[in-house]
Amino acid sequence: MRPSRGGDPTVSVVLPTRNGIRYLDQAVGSVLDQIFEDWQLILVDDASDPPTATRVDHWSRVDPRIRAVHLPVRRHLPGALNRGFDRASGRYWGWISDDNRYRPLALDRFVDHLDAHPRVDVIYSDYTVIDHDGREKGVGVTGLPEDLPTRNVVGPSFLFRPGVFTELGGYDESMRLAEAFGPAPAAGRTRPAPLARPRAGPACRPPPGRETQARPRPEDPPDGPAGRRGLRPRGGGVHRHGADPRQ
């Protein structure tokens, strides 16, 4: 565990849920299992039914790093994320769905890369696709950073610097589905977002009734990320490096 600066956590993770009790314990447990321990977890209950709301409160009592936020009226995903990040105080921010889970090294590798590359503002990885029983189905392969101006490339596994969020004014609450893919779609509407790709990704479930195709991609160099710099006005960079989430 690396010490936080000024008493604030290094990483803030928002976990929004709407009646997501089925997998909620797995998602929260995957944050608790991180080898990198300097985090805060903000559970946002998006006006859920009592079983999920009660479970959110349970987790906030288990660990002081976990905070519960209950929304009296449903705000949908982007609204729930905005209200979660309103309470974030970490140096790096991210969020995870209530039916996904991190691998134990995920935050450690994300933080290592962002610390080592101050010109990078968003870091992301490939991910393992699992079914609704937790069985691995393959690798979900994200896109190349240079493709961001024309399509979302980030996927469900990422961290970003708070400046990305504040400069864009948060998530657009009129877009209830696009924000499921992370900060990149909103950033891409105005300019390419600065991205990176590490070696640790989560396990993610596709929505019910939809198959997710996993495909191989060429192996990236283990070190020496390739990418572009200077994509943000303040000099943000786009990075990409080795991305097998199973390592």
Side-chain angles (χ1 to χ4, degrees):
M1 174 177 176
R2 278 158 280 186
S4 60
R5 300 178 182 180
D8 289 328
T10 301
V11 176
S12 294
V13 175
V14 173
L15 197 167
T17 185
R18 164 75 177 179
N19 298 327
I21 193 169
R22 179 177 180 183
Y23 301 116
L24 182 62
D25 287 358
Q26 294 180 34
V28 174
S30 76
V31 180
L32 288 167
D33 288 343
Q34 293 299 296
I35 66 166
F36 183 86
E37 299 176 330
D38 189 21
W39 48 260
Q40 70 172 161
L41 176 62
I42 303 165
L43 298 178
V44 182
D45 160 31
D46 190 17
S48 297
D49 293 338
T52 299
T54 299
R55 200 63 184 168
V56 166
D57 284 334
H58 161 79
W59 282 114
S60 70
R61 295 190 295 268
V62 166
D63 191 298
R65 296 171 294 177
I66 300 176
R67 180 175 181 181
V69 178
H70 295 280
L71 304 182
V73 177
R74 187 178 183 186
R75 304 305 297 257
H76 299 275
L77 178 59
L81 289 171
N82 285 339
R83 278 139 193 88
F85 285 121
D86 283 345
R87 295 156 174 84
S89 58
R91 191 162 78 251
Y92 307 129
W93 293 0
W95 68 272
I96 184 171
S97 296
D98 59 9
D99 59 350
N100 294 345
R101 58 182 189 246
Y102 285 122
R103 293 189 179 275
L105 290 172
L107 295 185
D108 187 71
R109 290 178 172 175
F110 282 149
V111 169
D112 273 349
H113 195 87
L114 287 172
D115 281 349
H117 299 87
R119 289 167 60 87
V120 169
D121 293 309
V122 181
I123 185 166
Y124 70 106
S125 75
D126 290 349
Y127 54 96
T128 301
V129 179
I130 58 177
D131 66 17
H132 295 280
D133 294 317
R135 293 184 293 260
E136 293 191 6
K137 307 297 287 185
V139 176
V141 180
T142 53
L144 301 176
E146 53 265 34
D147 293 335
L148 180 63
T150 58
R151 67 185 183 94
N152 174 55
V153 300
V154 174
S157 172
F158 52 86
L159 280 187
F160 55 92
R161 299 183 193 272
V164 175
F165 184 88
T166 56
E167 287 184 26
L168 293 170
Y171 286 99
D172 184 346
E173 298 189 19
S174 70
M175 299 178 65
R176 295 181 178 180
L177 296 178
E179 275 63 20
F181 299 102
R189 288 199 298 268
T190 55
R191 51 180 163 71
L195 309 177
R197 229 174 156 176
R199 285 186 173 270
C204 301
R205 291 181 174 87
R210 189 176 75 189
E211 291 294 326
T212 299
Q213 297 294 324
R215 57 185 173 85
R217 69 175 183 80
E219 179 66 19
D220 290 324
D223 296 300
R228 294 183 293 172
R229 293 179 179 270
L231 293 180
R232 295 189 70 202
R234 66 180 183 85
V238 173
H239 277 195
R240 167 180 179 261
H241 77 92
D244 184 351
R246 294 167 295 183
Q247 296 187 18

